[in-house]
Amino acid sequence: MNTPVSEAAITVRDEHLQMIANYYGSTQVDYDLVWHANEVGALHYGWWDDTTHNLKEALQRENEILADKANIQKGEHVLDAGCGVGGSSVFLAGSRGADVVGITVSPLQIRLAKERARREGVESNTSFLGKIKQTGVKFHGKWPTSPHVYPKP
């Protein structure tokens, strides 16, 4: 049974999304300074193992591990839910040849992600949006901001 969504619920949701966008817009410089977001393109904690010695390496290693676990292959479509500044999307497009759609509610993050994709030469394999559009594309997997990948069954 479909439950109708009230206008008040939509307004609250929109207000929350705007608060999230405002947060990332006002804290991006902190993420760049402390988390190396401008270099690595990630706002995660990373994957720490015997091969990592610092946060930058751990952030890069996280992309490698999750891409291996999800078995992302060339030409597959991946949804990067909560893509932030696009680091994982650009990594998947560049290293795996995947076609990636990144979603974030932050206009600043969309701009930074598009700039990153252009710099890395994967602009044609990536798109960054504020909302998911129904396109009929079937995704191989979802790549959420938390360190879990949900492959297509």
Side-chain angles (χ1 to χ4, degrees), residues 1-7 9-10:
M1 178 172 138
N2 289 335
T3 305
V5 177
S6 71
E7 285 186 38
I10 291 171

Side-chain angles (χ1 to χ4, degrees), residues 4 30 66-67 72 88 103:
D30 298 316
L66 293 177
I72 304 296
S88 295
I103 308 295

Side-chain angles (χ1 to χ4, degrees), residues 76-107:
E76 290 182 329
H77 298 280
V78 177
L79 174 64
D80 185 355
C83 69
V85 295
S88 295
S89 297
V90 169
F91 170 81
L92 292 170
S95 71
R96 301 299 173 110
D99 294 315
V100 186
V101 175
I103 308 295
T104 177
V105 297
S106 167

Side-chain angles (χ1 to χ4, degrees), residues 86-138:
S88 295
S89 297
V90 169
F91 170 81
L92 292 170
S95 71
R96 301 299 173 110
D99 294 315
V100 186
V101 175
I103 308 295
T104 177
V105 297
S106 167
L108 173 62
Q109 288 182 337
I110 291 171
R111 181 176 59 78
L112 294 172
K114 287 179 177 180
E115 288 172 5
R116 176 177 305 286
R118 192 171 25 259
R119 267 194 327 270
E120 299 294 324
V122 295
E123 190 174 19
S124 64
N125 294 68
T126 56
S127 59
F128 299 97
L129 309 168
K131 296 180 183 181
I132 186 88
K133 295 179 181 179
Q134 294 205 359
T135 62
V137 171
K138 293 188 179 192

